[in-house]
Amino acid sequence: MVGKREEVRQRTFAEILETAGRMAEAEGWRAVTIRRIAAEIGYSAPVIYQHFPSKEALLHTLLERVNGELAQRMRAAAAGEPASRAPRLAAVAYLEFARSRPGLYRLVSGAPGTDVDASTRRAAAADVIAFTRQLIGAWAAETAAEPVDIEDACDLLWATLHGLACIGSIEDIGFDRALRLADQAVTALLGSWSSTTVNPQGRPPTTEGEK
């Protein structure tokens, strides 16, 4: 049973993270400071520092939580679906997350003001990356396709979706178009990884005019 003091600590911890995320959505990550968070929720800065010794520590915690939410959405989208469709469904979930949580997505992608280095961001995304590898591996097994390298395939898919999320955030393009492009892009990627079909004799199919 959680004691009253621990309950208060947990509630304050969650309130700090929620406030930081809300401020970032409204004003960008450069506007997020320990003092502003404290003022927003009615605490003194030392109270915030009891939970997070720096803005960087706060961002690291948020980064891990945001990646956890992203991975959960991707898993939910692909759950119970054929492996051949799962990469496309997970891609849609990724872009819908970027559309619905733009400020938090900018934290994941390392926007100005986030002050989180690339290696830290990639480490925080370990669960998303592992699930993406799993998706591609399952797709390859079900479709008899063979990506040259799962690691390369994962990075290509990740880079493609990030690029689409970026153009989706451009007002005169938007996420509806980004989602349509995503279907084309993921289909093209999966097609490029498909193994060459061979005829029943085990020889590559001949082109027209060959004997």
Side-chain angles (χ1 to χ4, degrees), residues 25 46 69 98 101 118 122 126 158 168 173:
E25 295 286 1
E69 181 182 340
R101 309 295 292 275
R122 188 169 179 87
W158 183 278
I173 297 178

Side-chain angles (χ1 to χ4, degrees), residues 87-203:
R88 295 179 181 84
L89 296 171
V92 169
Y94 181 102
L95 290 176
E96 289 291 4
F97 175 83
R99 182 192 343 223
S100 64
R101 309 295 292 275
L104 293 176
Y105 182 76
R106 285 193 289 271
L107 174 61
V108 170
S109 59
T114 54
D115 301 322
V116 179
D117 63 80
S119 60
T120 299
R121 285 189 286 111
R122 188 169 179 87
D127 197 22
V128 176
I129 294 170
F131 179 64
T132 306
R133 288 176 181 151
Q134 177 187 332
L135 280 180
I136 295 171
W139 167 82
E142 183 171 296
T143 61
E146 185 178 355
V148 175
D149 182 275
I150 292 291
E151 182 91 8
D152 289 348
C154 178
D155 284 346
L156 278 169
L157 181 58
W158 183 278
T160 299
L161 295 179
H162 175 58
L164 288 167
C166 289
I167 67 171
S169 66
I170 300 173
E171 189 173 344
D172 60 349
I173 297 178
F175 274 94
D176 288 341
R177 177 163 172 74
L179 285 162
R180 291 196 299 274
L181 293 174
D183 186 64
Q184 297 178 45
V186 176
T187 297
L189 281 176
L190 297 178
S192 73
W193 297 329
S194 297
S195 56
T196 303
T197 303
V198 295
N199 64 18
Q201 286 73 40
R203 293 173 299 181

Side-chain angles (χ1 to χ4, degrees), residues 39-132:
E40 181 74 17
I41 62 179
Y43 291 118
S44 64
V47 171
I48 310 300
Y49 284 118
Q50 289 175 12
H51 296 272
F52 300 99
S54 63
K55 176 181 174 179
E56 182 182 19
L58 188 153
L59 292 182
H60 286 185
T61 301
L62 263 178
L63 188 60
E64 291 173 356
R65 293 195 171 200
V66 171
N67 274 289
E69 181 182 340
L70 176 56
Q72 185 177 32
R73 289 198 189 193
M74 293 173 71
R75 283 195 172 89
E81 298 289 343
S84 57
R85 296 186 63 223
R88 295 179 181 84
L89 296 171
V92 169
Y94 181 102
L95 290 176
E96 289 291 4
F97 175 83
R99 182 192 343 223
S100 64
R101 309 295 292 275
L104 293 176
Y105 182 76
R106 285 193 289 271
L107 174 61
V108 170
S109 59
T114 54
D115 301 322
V116 179
D117 63 80
S119 60
T120 299
R121 285 189 286 111
R122 188 169 179 87
D127 197 22
V128 176
I129 294 170
F131 179 64
T132 306

